[in-house]
């Protein structure tokens, strides 16, 4: 029996929904409304959200713990187009493993994904997040 597949657009395709979801995530943490500056709203709506809603919730759940009004200074640097060099230990190890799998000349991303046991789309999202580029 075939089950119906419902396609849902990614957050980057739903512009205004990003802020509704961000406010919802903030409300879940503080149990009250949290404000966003216009600069923070622009940064959140401009980001592509490659990790989808999980990434948005992670970012928002960390920010309201610091303030009552979320500003761009409470958001991660990568949302503002800046590359953060401060990787956690697990991110550092993950980055090193991806680079190792991509290091043989001509190694495709899909081959590295197979070697790591992850989906091809996942490896490309992680490469983008961790600042890994394949030389052409």
């Amino acid at each position: 029996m075939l089950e119906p597949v419902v396609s849902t657009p990614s957050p980057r395709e739903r512009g205004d929904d990003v802020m509704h979801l961000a406010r919802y995530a903030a409300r879940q943490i503080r149990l009250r409304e949290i404000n966003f500056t216009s600069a923070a709203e622009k940064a959140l709506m401009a980001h592509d959200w490659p990790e989808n809603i999980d990434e948005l919730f992670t970012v928002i759940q960390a920010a309201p713990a610091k303030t009552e009004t979320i500003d761009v200074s409470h958001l991660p640097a990568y949302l503002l187009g800046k590359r953060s060099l401060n990787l956690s230990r697990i991110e550092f190890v993950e980055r090193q493993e991806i680079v190792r799998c991509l290091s043989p000349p001509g190694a495709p991303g899909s081959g590295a994904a197979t070697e790591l046991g992850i989906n091809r789309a996942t490896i490309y999202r992680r490469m983008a997040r961790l600042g890994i580029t394949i030389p052409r």
Side-chain angles (χ1 to χ4, degrees), residues 67-136:
T67 184
E68 295 295 318
T69 300
I70 297 175
D71 189 22
V72 291
S73 63
H74 304 111
L75 300 175
Y78 71 88
L79 287 182
L80 309 173
K82 301 174 189 169
R83 191 35 96 191
S84 174
L85 299 176
N86 297 329
L87 297 176
S88 69
R89 288 181 184 174
I90 191 76
E91 288 172 326
F92 178 77
V93 171
E94 182 179 30
R95 186 178 197 288
Q96 293 301 89
E97 278 300 298
I98 292 172
V99 169
R100 182 189 62 77
C101 291
L102 293 170
S103 62
S110 59
T114 302
E115 184 177 343
L116 293 168
I118 59 176
N119 186 302
R120 188 179 67 174
T122 303
I123 197 167
Y124 287 114
R125 279 195 309 268
R126 289 182 183 173
M127 286 170 59
R129 189 184 77 223
L130 298 170
I132 301 169
T133 57
I134 300 174
R136 302 215 181 239

Side-chain angles (χ1 to χ4, degrees), residues 38-82:
S38 61
E41 287 183 5
K42 287 178 187 175
L44 291 169
M45 292 189 341
H47 187 60
D48 283 342
W49 301 108
E51 298 290 324
N52 220 337
I53 300 300
D54 293 335
E55 180 186 9
L56 173 64
F57 273 53
T58 300
V59 166
I60 297 303
Q61 288 176 349
K66 302 174 185 172
T67 184
E68 295 295 318
T69 300
I70 297 175
D71 189 22
V72 291
S73 63
H74 304 111
L75 300 175
Y78 71 88
L79 287 182
L80 309 173
K82 301 174 189 169

Side-chain angles (χ1 to χ4, degrees), residues 13-25:
E13 297 169 1
R14 298 185 294 191
D16 292 337
D17 287 347
V18 170
M19 288 313 303
H20 293 295
L21 291 167
R23 285 187 176 87
Y24 173 79

